[in-house]
């Protein structure tokens, strides 16, 4: 069993269809998809220590199988610059999420490297009843939510498929650079699309995958939120 198989096996054993964010991140790393550095804290001191080790600023996030949309639950605090801010955020997140869902099991708090602000893109995957695994690409924020500027392909993708996905969205001109903002690393996006395609083809038990957002830079890219949902019966 490789690392990803083990993580999926463990989730199933615990009767979960959602991978916790650190598990989903470990799966991404296993497939060479770049993610932000992270560690799981069980108390405020640990959170502050991990933050110091990772380097400030950091982001703290709730880890709970019952909380899928973390921001909605008050479960995300970004741009924490000192150990004191980390400790305070740790406790605020616990209070917020308990208020949001008193029954939620709290596994811990994810301490992660804060990725510098940049162009946010989304890579997703859903398993279609007819076509099987599919891969989605779009620009983050209003481009996906309001303008529905997204594109889909049936997996597995060829490199040419992945490249055409990136170039065919309406917002491609933003990725190519405009006015003072430089072009982003298109190769890094193509690479991530190929790796997601391989991951979902290797693992038909993955029902949905959501890398939302991935920060893309002039060089490189980093997924800051990784969500993987498994088939209930597999
Ligand atoms: P959710 O989608 O479950 O609400 P996210 O993990 O996507 O939670 O966090 C919400 C937002 O916070 C993201 O869309 C992103 O803009 C920002 N964010 C989250 N983690 C990081 C990070 N490590 N570095 C920079 N920004 C982040
Ligand atoms: Mg998100």
């Amino acid at each position: 069993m490789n690392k990803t198989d083990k993580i999926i096996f463990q989730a199933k054993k615990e009767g979960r269809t959602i991978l916790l964010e650190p598990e989903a991140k470990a799966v991404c790393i296993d497939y060479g998809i770049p993610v932000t550095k992270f560690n799981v804290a069980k108390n405020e001191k640990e959170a502050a220590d991990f933050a110091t080790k990772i380097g400030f600023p950091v982001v703290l996030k709730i880890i709970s199988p019952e909380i899928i949309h973390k921001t909605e639950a008050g479960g995300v605090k970004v741009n924490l610059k000192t150990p004191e801010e980390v400790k305070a955020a740790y406790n605020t997140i616990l209070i917020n999420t308990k208020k949001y869902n008193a029954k939620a099991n709290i596994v811990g708090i994810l301490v992660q490297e804060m990725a510098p602000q940049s162009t946010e893109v989304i890579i997703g995957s859903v398993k279609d009843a007819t076509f099987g695994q599919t891969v989605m690409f779009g620009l983050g924020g209003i481009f996906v939510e309001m303008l529905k500027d997204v594109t889909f392909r049936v997996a597995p993708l060829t490199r040419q498929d992945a490249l055409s996905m990136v170039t065919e969205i309406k917002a491609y001109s933003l990725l190519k650079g405009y006015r003072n903002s430089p072009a982003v690393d298109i190769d890094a996006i193509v690479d991530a699309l190929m790796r997601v395609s391989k991951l979902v083809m290797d693992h038909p038990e993955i029902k949905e995958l959501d890398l939302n957002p991935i920060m893309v830079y002039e060089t490189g890219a980093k997924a800051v939120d990784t969500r993987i949902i498994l088939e209930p019966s597999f």
Side-chain angles (χ1 to χ4, degrees):
M1 262 209 259
N2 67 22
K3 183 129 207 228
T4 297
D5 291 323
K6 277 188 197 148
I7 290 168
I8 292 175
F9 179 80
Q10 182 61 28
K12 280 191 211 156
K13 209 169 95 183
E14 291 174 18
R16 282 188 281 123
T17 54
I18 179 158
L19 296 189
L20 301 169
E21 189 170 345
E23 293 173 330
K25 279 197 153 64
V27 166
C28 286
I29 292 168
D30 196 28
Y31 273 81
I33 299 162
V35 301
T36 39
K37 274 185 251 163
F38 67 96
N39 224 320
V40 178
K42 302 280 189 183
N43 58 57
E44 57 166 50
K45 176 165 187 318
E46 241 178 38
D49 290 347
F50 288 146
T52 306
K53 212 178 284 169
I54 289 169
F56 293 97
V58 295
V59 177
L60 260 55
K61 297 188 203 183
I62 192 72
I63 309 171
S64 166
E66 285 82 25
I67 298 175
I68 298 182
H69 300 289
K70 299 175 291 288
T71 302
E72 199 180 283
V76 180
K77 294 276 169 204
V78 301
N79 204 21
L80 306 167
K81 297 192 194 80
T82 62
E84 291 67 38
E85 281 183 23
V86 168
K87 286 182 186 170
Y90 186 98
N91 292 308
T92 308
I93 287 175
L94 286 187
I95 292 166
N96 288 350
T97 49
K98 273 185 195 135
K99 229 182 271 169
Y100 179 78
N101 179 354
K103 292 204 187 97
N105 293 295
I106 312 293
V107 177
I109 303 263
L110 193 69
V111 182
Q112 67 174 242
E113 163 196 1
M114 171 109 185
Q117 216 46 52
S118 185
T119 306
E120 296 189 4
V121 303
I122 297 175
I123 295 178
S125 173
V126 288
K127 200 157 145 195
D128 182 85
T130 307
F131 299 109
Q133 298 288 25
T134 64
V135 178
M136 180 273 257
F137 173 72
L139 234 72
I142 60 161
F143 294 98
V144 167
E145 281 156 29
M146 293 180 66
L147 304 175
K148 312 279 180 234
D149 182 19
V150 295
T151 180
F152 292 87
R153 288 288 188 289
V154 174
L157 303 182
T158 64
R159 210 162 179 91
Q160 188 51 49
D161 290 331
L163 184 61
S164 62
M165 287 176 81
V166 178
T167 54
E168 78 190 15
I169 60 166
K170 294 192 197 81
Y172 175 55
S173 49
L174 297 182
L175 298 176
K176 273 193 310 188
Y178 63 102
R179 288 190 207 147
N180 298 327
S181 53
V184 302
D185 192 340
I186 304 289
D187 272 352
I189 304 175
V190 168
D191 196 60
L193 283 164
M194 298 294 293
R195 289 172 189 275
V196 166
S197 166
K198 173 146 178 48
L199 166 59
V200 296
M201 289 307 291
D202 285 355
H203 294 279
E205 64 271 47
I206 295 179
K207 183 167 176 264
E208 280 176 48
L209 171 149
D210 211 5
L211 308 181
N212 180 8
I214 303 176
M215 302 282 185
V216 197
Y217 302 100
E218 281 181 73
T219 313
K222 244 174 211 186
V224 308
D225 184 21
T226 52
R227 181 152 43 234
I228 295 176
I229 314 274
L230 305 173
E231 290 282 357
S233 53
F234 221 98

